[in-house]
């Protein structure tokens, strides 16, 4: 997928997520997300942190003993922004081409797609995920070893999407929508549905 198309998807996701988050009530924002130990509000706030300056990231990383997961969770919890503020931040990010230090433009795409489901699924909201964007994100996750390692975790399986050209892995063929494959690769077993059982 070309760069302009990737950023176009990111912008669309940020705008729709801003609308969604702004529409949620207090109980919904306090609902546990698909990220263990994170509420829907925490995940929403985290999405606005991808524009954090490199110097601040290094400072916060050192503060957390250079433990990435601990750092991002701490920052999300410490940031007490309400839903309206989060929505404003997300809308202000539209059109930007910044991404976190040490990452590619595919990371913001991955974040918006997966975290959008982290928010929506526990609330019973069927959030659309464009298949072409999901396929690009799935290819990115497939190449990772941290924080996800799907090549290792799903060795001996060939994942074939039913709604895109995505075709990854070798072995037993498992067919599923691209969204489900991406969520499984990203460790979201609660959003992978029957795909989890088929991939075991």
């Amino acid at each position: 997928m070309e760069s302009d198309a990737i950023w176009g998807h990111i912008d669309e996701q940020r705008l729709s997520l801003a609308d969604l988050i702004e529409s949620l009530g207090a109980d919904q924002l306090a609902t546990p997300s698909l990220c263990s130990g994170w509420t829907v509000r925490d995940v929403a706030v985290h999405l606005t942190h991808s524009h954090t300056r490199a110097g601040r990231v290094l400072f916060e990383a050192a503060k957390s003993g250079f433990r990435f997961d601990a750092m991002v969770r701490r920052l999300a919890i410490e940031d007490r922004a309400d839903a309206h503020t989060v929505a404003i931040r997300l809308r202000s990010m539209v059109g930007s081409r910044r991404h976190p230090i040490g990452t590619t433009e595919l990371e913001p795409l991955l974040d918006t797609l997966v975290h959008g489901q982290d928010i929506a699924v526990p609330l019973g909201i069927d959030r659309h995920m464009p298949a072409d964007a999901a396929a690009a994100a799935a290819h990115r996750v497939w190449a990772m070893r941290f924080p996800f390692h799907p090549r290792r975790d799903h060795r001996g399986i060939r994942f074939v999407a039913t709604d895109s050209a995505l075709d990854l892995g070798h072995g037993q063929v498992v067919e599923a929508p691209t969204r489900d494959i991406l969520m499984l690769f990203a460790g979201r077993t609660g959003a992978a549905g029957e795909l989890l059982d088929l991939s075991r």
Side-chain angles (χ1 to χ4, degrees):
M1 181 179 289
E2 295 184 356
S3 180
D4 285 347
I6 292 172
W7 286 111
H9 278 298
I10 294 169
D11 287 346
E12 289 174 1
Q13 291 296 312
R14 284 173 172 163
L15 285 171
S16 65
L17 279 165
D19 291 342
L20 171 59
I21 291 160
E22 203 166 36
S23 74
L24 300 178
D27 288 346
Q28 291 173 303
L29 290 166
T31 298
S33 74
L34 293 183
C35 298
S36 180
W38 294 54
T39 65
V40 164
R41 191 213 69 92
D42 296 338
V43 175
V45 169
H46 168 67
L47 281 167
T48 71
H49 290 171
S50 64
H51 277 188
T52 304
R53 298 289 181 183
R56 171 80 187 282
V57 171
L58 291 174
F59 171 79
E60 296 295 348
K63 192 174 177 180
S64 293
F66 292 99
R67 292 171 296 147
F68 176 78
D69 289 343
M71 178 191 74
V72 295
R73 184 173 187 275
R74 177 176 57 79
L75 290 177
I77 292 172
E78 289 179 353
D79 185 337
R80 300 313 304 165
D82 60 17
H84 180 62
T85 301
V86 170
I88 290 174
R89 289 181 186 173
L90 285 171
R91 292 185 183 115
S92 73
M93 295 163 74
V94 173
S96 169
R97 297 297 178 259
R98 288 175 55 190
H99 51 80
I101 184 173
T103 69
T104 73
E105 59 195 6
L106 287 169
E107 268 71 13
L109 178 64
L110 174 62
D111 272 357
T112 56
L113 293 176
V114 173
H115 287 320
Q117 299 299 317
D118 289 338
I119 291 169
V121 171
L123 297 177
I125 297 171
D126 184 13
R127 180 173 170 77
H128 173 67
M129 185 186 291
D132 60 338
H139 274 284
R140 177 61 183 141
V141 180
W142 186 254
M144 291 180 174
R145 293 188 177 183
F146 175 84
F148 315 113
H149 198 336
R151 285 176 184 261
R152 176 198 63 201
D153 297 340
H154 306 292
R155 188 179 291 111
I157 300 171
R158 177 184 171 192
F159 293 93
V160 178
T162 56
D163 56 352
S164 75
L166 184 70
D167 187 334
L168 292 169
H170 302 280
Q172 174 192 350
V173 174
V174 171
E175 297 183 342
T178 314
R179 177 176 67 176
D180 290 357
I181 295 173
L182 172 60
M183 295 303 287
L184 183 67
F185 286 1
R188 269 56 170 193
T189 56
E194 297 179 0
L195 181 58
L196 178 63
D197 294 328
L198 293 172
S199 65
R200 285 173 172 164

